């Protein structure tokens, strides 16, 4: 049975969490409501209960013990927090004469019935909070960040050559009209639309950041993202050059922002007609305020794309981890998942994210490495397909992008690449007859076979091919050369998207030394539309321990 909990309990429980945080027991203090639904006007429907969230555990709590909380509310934690109300009307009523309640209103979002506040008089604030039973959640505002850049040495090692986004996806150069009629939002560090690659872009700019003192590297980040999506120069084109960009600045010159400002930007982007939102940023903890804004956008049919993070560990950043958001990891120049790309729950797709030529500050250009650039590539793909596919819903386009992907190393969904690698050409030509594309996917060593390797014996691994076209492949031959061996494998009747794998073996000793392997694919009696993926040369090495 649902339980009505007074707001005094919310603050009591938050006090316990706060004290635990000070002792290092918890990382966050968040109180959040249960699953949310939006009415026909897009407003959040009234919540009837409260869920208290501690890390990965959630508990419903019942009590009525009173407590003087004035001293607790004087904590600097309450310099920036949000209150969630049961309805927009209840929020409006609470905010009337807010100065008399010991609180200062910083901002409010009617669409998700949430207000951003600061405590200025703890005694008055504690009385106001205890007397109002329409408050369903209190949350401390959390930071969000621009993903860290790979270190210079890492960038030098990973960026083997310059590639434009068009080259990385094998796109047709005749795409100046791609994106026409579609508005996308870039929520980032701001965009320099005077840059030569972006001067043609129809745009609107909004800044929700109050204290920008100078233009720093963070501003280059948003400019780079926008150029990957819609830039044009003599040397490269973005994926959707004719798209309109709504730039909403949510990160300061240090690349730092907060979740309420990000939530406000998402709501603003939706209400201004954006069909896709790019979020090349994130944080390491969930926020119910941010998730509410994401659910609001999803209820309006708006697609959201976010970077998984550049830390190279298990743990996808928020908001990429949310179900409603397309979480994007990065591919390196060898079309394998980049070493720095975060992985785990929330990864939906991977896209080129190493050595991407893009705009930067002061008319400069850079080679962009990171999941930020990979997210921008996916955003551009979605925008371009929306512009081409009149009458197709955004959710259907999202499904196509995630379904018509390339396999990475091992066939099937996995935590590193999600559904696989973006293949915009498969999406574009999904209804084209005789679009043939055979590809060497890569090599895969099952992890269980790499444990406790001795000094002798052999280790099995697989080489995989895939039909990455839109029509059946009648027949093709795979030639594999390694360690002085040459093996041929014949495949027939591969349906679109289908994979085939063959098992190979390598001696443990030779494998630990490292070995070269070359695989080439040839179609019989059919023209391969993308021959560049018919050849894969790699150097493989078994772990020494």
């Amino acid at each position: 049975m649902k339980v009505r909990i007074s707001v005094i309990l919310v603050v009591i429980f938050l006090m316990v969490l706060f004290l635990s945080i000070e002792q290092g027991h918890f990382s966050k203090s968040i109180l959040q409501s249960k699953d949310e639904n939006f009415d026909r006007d897009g407003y959040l429907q009234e919540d009837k209960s409260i869920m208290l969230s501690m890390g990965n555990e959630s508990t419903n709590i019942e009590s009525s013990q009173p407590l003087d909380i004035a001293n607790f509310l004087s904590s600097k934690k309450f310099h920036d927090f949000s209150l969630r109300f049961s309805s927009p009307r209840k929020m409006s009523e609470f905010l009337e004469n807010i100065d008399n309640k010991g609180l200062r209103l910083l901002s409010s979002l009617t669409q998700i019935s949430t207000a951003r506040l600061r405590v200025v008089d703890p005694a008055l604030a504690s009385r106001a909070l205890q007397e109002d039973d329409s408050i369903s959640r209190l949350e401390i505002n959390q930071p969000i960040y621009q993903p860290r850049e790979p270190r210079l040495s890492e960038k030098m090692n990973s960026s083997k050559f310059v590639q434009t986004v068009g080259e990385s996806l094998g796109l047709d150069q005749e795409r100046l009209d791609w994106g026409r009629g579609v508005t996308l939002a870039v929520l980032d560090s701001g965009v320099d639309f005077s840059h030569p690659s972006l001067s043609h872009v129809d745009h609107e700019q909004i800044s929700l950041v109050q204290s920008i003192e100078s233009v720093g590297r963070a501003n280059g980040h948003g400019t780079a993202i926008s150029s990957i999506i819609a830039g044009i120069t003599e040397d490269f084109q973005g994926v959707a050059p004719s798209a309109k960009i709504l730039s909403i600045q949510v990160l300061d010159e240090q690349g730092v922002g907060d979740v309420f400002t990000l939530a406000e930007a998402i709501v603003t982007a939706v209400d201004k007609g954006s069909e896709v939102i790019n979020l090349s940023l994130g944080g390491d903890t969930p926020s119910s305020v941010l998730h509410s804004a994401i659910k609001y956008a999803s209820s309006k049919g708006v697609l959201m794309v976010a970077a998984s993070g550049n830390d190279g560990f298990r743990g996808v950043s928020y908001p990429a981890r949310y179900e409603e958001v397309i979480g994007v990891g990065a591919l390196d120049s060898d079309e394998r998942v980049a070493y720095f790309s975060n992985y785990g729950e929330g990864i939906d797709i991977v896209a080129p994210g190493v050595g991407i030529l893009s705009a930067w500050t002061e008319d400069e250009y850079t080679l962009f490495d990171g999941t930020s650039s990979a997210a921008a590539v996916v955003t551009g793909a979605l925008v371009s397909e929306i512009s081409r596919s009149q009458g197709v819903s955004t959710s259907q386009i999202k499904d196509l992008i995630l379904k018509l992907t390339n396999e990475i190393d091992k066939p099937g969904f996995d935590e590193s690449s999600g559904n696989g690698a973006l293949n915009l050409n498969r999406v574009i030509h999904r209804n084209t007859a005789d679009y043939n594309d055979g590809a060497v996917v890569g090599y895969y060593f099952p992890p269980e076979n790499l444990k406790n390797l001795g000094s002798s014996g052999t280790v099995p691994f697989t080489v995989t091919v895939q039909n990455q076209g839109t029509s059946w492949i009648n027949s093709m031959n795979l030639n594999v050369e390694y360690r002085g061996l040459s093996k041929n494998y014949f495949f027939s009747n591969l349906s679109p998207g289908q994979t085939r794998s063959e098992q190979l073996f390598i001696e443990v000793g030779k494998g630990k030394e490292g070995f070269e392997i070359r695989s080439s694919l040839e179609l019989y009696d059919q023209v391969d539309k993308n021959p560049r993926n018919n050849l894969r040369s790699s150097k493989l090495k078994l772990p020494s321990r």
Side-chain angles (χ1 to χ4, degrees):
M1 182 179 68
K2 292 185 176 180
V3 181
R4 188 74 174 182
I5 303 177
S6 66
V7 72
I8 179 63
L9 291 180
V10 174
V11 184
I12 293 172
F13 191 78
L14 187 61
M15 182 175 181
V16 175
L17 288 180
F18 173 73
L19 293 174
S20 298
I21 290 170
E22 296 302 312
Q23 298 174 19
H25 293 161
F26 298 100
S27 61
K28 294 294 174 185
S29 300
I30 300 176
L31 286 82
Q32 63 182 27
S33 62
K34 289 187 175 180
D35 291 342
E36 300 156 348
N37 297 301
F38 291 86
D39 61 22
R40 293 179 180 177
D41 296 322
Y43 292 116
L44 188 70
Q45 296 175 350
E46 184 172 349
D47 292 323
K48 297 299 183 182
S49 64
I50 297 174
M51 183 181 294
L52 308 180
S53 177
M54 301 180 296
N56 294 325
E57 298 179 0
S58 297
T59 308
N60 287 324
I61 294 180
E62 180 181 9
S63 175
S64 58
Q65 182 180 358
L67 179 70
D68 181 3
I69 59 173
N71 290 334
F72 178 57
L73 291 179
S74 64
S75 165
K76 64 180 180 180
K77 292 279 185 180
F78 286 88
H79 285 189
D80 193 351
F81 72 99
S82 65
L83 290 179
R84 174 66 169 277
F85 296 85
S86 58
S87 69
R89 180 178 61 82
K90 291 291 187 180
M91 182 177 74
S92 178
E93 292 174 354
F94 181 87
L95 295 180
E96 291 178 3
N97 302 316
I98 190 67
D99 293 340
N100 297 331
K101 297 176 180 178
L103 298 168
R104 179 179 301 161
L105 177 64
L106 303 179
S107 186
S108 64
L109 295 172
T110 303
Q111 297 88 337
I112 59 174
S113 305
T114 302
R116 181 179 184 180
L117 300 160
R118 175 174 296 164
V119 173
V120 293
D121 187 322
L124 288 176
S126 63
R127 187 179 305 117
L129 293 176
Q130 293 180 65
E131 292 176 351
D132 197 297
D133 63 356
S134 68
I135 300 171
S136 60
R137 186 189 61 233
L138 186 154
E139 179 177 313
I140 304 298
N141 202 10
Q142 311 288 352
I144 51 100
Y145 308 94
Q146 171 187 315
R148 80 166 186 93
E149 293 184 65
R151 293 188 299 272
L152 180 59
S153 59
E154 294 172 343
K155 294 182 70 172
M156 291 173 64
N157 290 332
S158 60
S159 299
K160 296 181 179 179
F161 57 90
V162 178
Q163 60 177 345
T164 66
V165 63
E167 291 169 344
S168 69
L169 294 176
L171 299 181
D172 190 339
Q173 285 296 315
E174 300 298 325
R175 60 178 188 275
L176 290 176
D177 285 339
W178 290 15
R180 189 174 302 280
V182 181
T183 298
L184 70 110
V186 174
L187 277 49
D188 212 284
S189 60
V191 179
D192 178 10
F193 286 103
S194 68
H195 193 283
S197 67
L198 295 170
S199 58
H200 71 285
V201 174
D202 184 12
H203 66 274
E204 180 180 356
Q205 291 180 285
I206 299 172
S207 178
L208 299 180
V209 177
Q210 303 299 319
S211 59
I212 296 298
E213 298 178 355
S214 62
V215 176
R217 287 180 59 82
N219 294 79
H221 189 268
T223 302
I225 294 300
S226 298
S227 71
I228 291 171
I229 298 170
I232 298 178
T233 72
E234 293 181 358
D235 299 318
F236 77 90
Q237 294 179 35
V239 184
S242 288
K244 178 180 178 179
I245 295 179
L246 170 62
S247 168
I248 305 182
Q249 186 173 8
V250 296
L251 301 176
D252 63 17
E253 66 273 14
Q254 303 301 319
V256 180
D258 63 82
V259 294
F260 191 96
T261 299
L262 182 57
E264 184 177 1
I266 291 172
V267 170
T268 300
V270 172
D271 292 350
K272 281 186 165 290
S274 300
E275 295 182 72
V276 185
I277 299 175
N278 188 89
L279 300 159
S280 291
L281 43 71
D284 58 1
T285 54
S287 161
S288 54
V289 173
L290 178 56
H291 200 188
S292 294
I294 287 169
K295 289 180 178 180
Y296 174 74
S298 181
S299 74
K300 298 292 189 178
V302 177
L303 301 180
M304 290 157 285
V305 182
S308 68
N310 297 341
D311 304 293
F313 56 53
R314 182 191 303 275
V316 174
S317 298
Y318 292 94
R321 200 185 301 191
Y322 288 123
E323 181 180 358
E324 300 85 355
V325 178
I326 301 174
V328 184
L331 288 176
D332 63 19
S333 53
D334 291 325
E335 297 183 351
R336 303 188 69 183
V337 177
Y339 70 91
F340 57 76
S341 184
N342 288 13
Y343 57 93
E345 181 183 356
I347 286 289
D348 295 301
I349 195 170
V350 289
V354 168
I356 305 297
L357 182 63
S358 57
W360 202 246
T361 57
E362 299 179 355
D363 297 350
E364 294 179 348
Y365 294 87
T366 189
L367 297 184
F368 202 163
D369 289 4
T371 56
S372 289
S373 57
V377 172
V378 173
T379 294
L382 290 166
V383 169
S384 68
E385 192 56 35
I386 291 172
S387 70
R388 279 189 300 273
S389 302
Q390 301 298 319
V392 181
S393 69
T394 53
S395 63
Q396 289 174 314
I397 290 174
K398 173 184 175 181
D399 291 343
L400 286 170
I401 290 287
L402 296 181
K403 178 182 179 182
L404 300 179
T405 54
N406 296 344
E407 297 288 0
I408 301 294
D409 295 338
K410 177 188 176 182
F413 188 95
D414 65 74
E415 63 177 9
S416 295
S417 61
N419 292 280
L422 173 68
N423 187 340
L424 185 54
N425 279 323
R426 279 187 74 190
V427 177
I428 294 170
H429 297 287
R430 62 187 180 276
N431 297 319
T432 301
D434 297 326
Y435 185 82
N436 306 305
D437 182 13
V440 180
V441 170
Y443 313 101
Y444 178 71
F445 288 84
E448 60 271 18
N449 294 337
L450 300 179
K451 295 179 180 178
N452 303 317
L453 288 176
S455 58
S456 61
T458 60
V459 177
F461 66 102
T462 57
V463 58
T464 300
V465 298
Q466 183 183 19
N467 179 356
Q468 296 180 354
T470 60
S471 58
W472 284 75
I473 291 179
N474 299 326
S475 59
M476 61 183 181
N477 184 73
L478 172 67
N479 175 258
V480 183
E481 298 177 350
Y482 72 109
R483 296 293 304 157
L485 301 175
S486 180
K487 296 178 177 292
N488 287 284
Y489 303 95
F490 180 79
F491 305 101
S492 61
N493 300 323
L494 270 73
S495 62
Q498 186 178 359
T499 62
R500 296 279 181 86
S501 299
E502 290 291 339
Q503 189 174 66
L504 305 170
F505 293 88
I506 184 68
E507 300 94 335
V508 171
K510 300 298 182 182
K512 289 182 177 180
E513 294 174 2
F515 63 99
E516 301 281 347
I517 185 167
R518 181 183 185 275
S519 298
S520 59
L521 194 65
E522 181 182 3
L523 273 63
Y524 293 135
D525 301 324
Q526 290 175 298
V527 177
D528 197 311
K529 298 293 185 180
N530 184 23
R532 75 189 188 106
N533 58 18
N534 292 11
L535 176 66
R536 179 177 284 272
S537 295
S538 302
K539 185 171 183 178
L540 307 180
K541 187 175 182 179
L542 296 179
S544 57
R545 293 184 180 179

